[in-house]
Amino acid sequence: MGDKAAESGVAAMAACYQGFDPSAYLQYNYTPPRADFQRKDSIVPWKLACLHRAFTEGDVGGELLVDVGSGPTLYQVLSGCEVFDKVLLTDFLEVNRQELRRWLQDGGGSSLDWTPYLQHVCQLEGRRPSEWKEKAAKLRRAVKDVLPVDIHHPLPIAQDALPPSGADCLVSCFCLESASPDLATFTRALGHIGKLLRHGGHLLLIGALGESYYFGGPGVKIPVVPLNEAQVCSSLKESGYTLIRLEVYTLPQDMRVGVDDVTGVFFAKARKD
Ligand code: U87
């Protein structure tokens, strides 16, 4: 595809996102059945288990963790905030950054109660669920800022927000494929976010497989580039990462709730060359 066509695809995606509704989005994806902590095969507990394992294997460490395309969610940094003293959250949309700031300030005005998430990750860490308040306090201390990001920009975050060598670790969940019109743009975005990461630093990437759209709110249909496992692996390689592990989750029938057409989820742990 020519540069012009690719640019208009990116602009069309940005236009779709203007209707994004954080509160509806949280209801669709972060309540049961997708977030059912009593069930082993529910999607959110699967994601939390992947992240917990990745952050506790011993190879991931340093000072700064950056979450790319946080959206209005916090689950993706609940394990990381135990390993990194500094966490930066980022999103393209101000409405999402506001949702995150409301929780960081006191949680009172939040659209979703993150308590069951905090309790569940406490359990993964071998602590009692009742320790969730300490974990919430730790996360609030660790998050240093909530910044704008654009993965289609060669430098997705303002240069002065990061140390010159880059972050020690990046986490990014469902962002790149949900903001890219095609595979080439997805791969290019992987390269862009890699510039935020130091050499030898880790990328923890979660994303949708076989998805062509999702709803970001009532009537807000957002196109997604459908990916398969082989494409994820080759895009990572092409963008300067070495794959450490790829795990795949297949959505049970009752997890297909009409808010998207996703068939599976991948979790990739990779290292920047
Ligand atoms: C999350 N990380 O929920 N640059 O995990 C940077 C951009 C750009 C841009 C848009 C929603 C897609 C999720 C969070 C938020 C992820 N976002 C931002 C989704 C789709 C499968 C599925 C989903 C969620 C935009 C949960 C589950 C499943 C959003 C974010 C994408 N269907 N970021 N140029 N453009 N964004 O503001 O916050 O990407 Cl379980 Cl299966």
Side-chain angles (χ1 to χ4, degrees), residues 54-126:
F55 279 111
T56 52
E57 281 174 312
D59 54 343
V60 172
E63 194 182 21
L64 177 63
L65 169 66
V66 177
D67 176 29
V68 177
S70 307
T73 71
L74 293 158
Y75 72 90
Q76 64 277 16
V77 290
L78 295 180
S79 292
C81 75
E82 300 290 337
V83 180
F84 292 90
D85 289 337
K86 293 184 185 169
V87 175
L88 293 177
L89 301 176
T90 70
D91 199 68
F92 184 66
L93 296 176
E94 175 62 17
V95 284
N96 285 335
R97 299 193 296 268
Q98 278 167 355
E99 176 70 40
L100 295 170
R101 287 191 201 107
R102 277 197 294 276
W103 186 87
L104 290 167
Q105 274 147 25
D106 67 356
S110 292
S111 303
L112 189 80
D113 180 9
W114 293 100
T115 308
Y117 287 74
L118 291 156
Q119 290 171 329
H120 185 79
V121 178
C122 277
Q123 270 178 310
L124 292 176
E125 289 166 355

Side-chain angles (χ1 to χ4, degrees), residues 3 6 37 46 48 58 61 67 69 78 100-101 107 113 116 137 146-147 165 177 194-195 219 221 235 247-248 256 259:
D3 281 357
F37 297 102
W46 182 84
L48 293 175
D67 176 29
L78 295 180
L100 295 170
R101 287 191 201 107
D113 180 9
V146 183
L147 301 170
S165 56
E177 75 282 7
K195 295 200 201 109
K221 196 171 183 176
S235 287
E247 293 178 65
V248 171
R256 305 185 186 190
V259 298

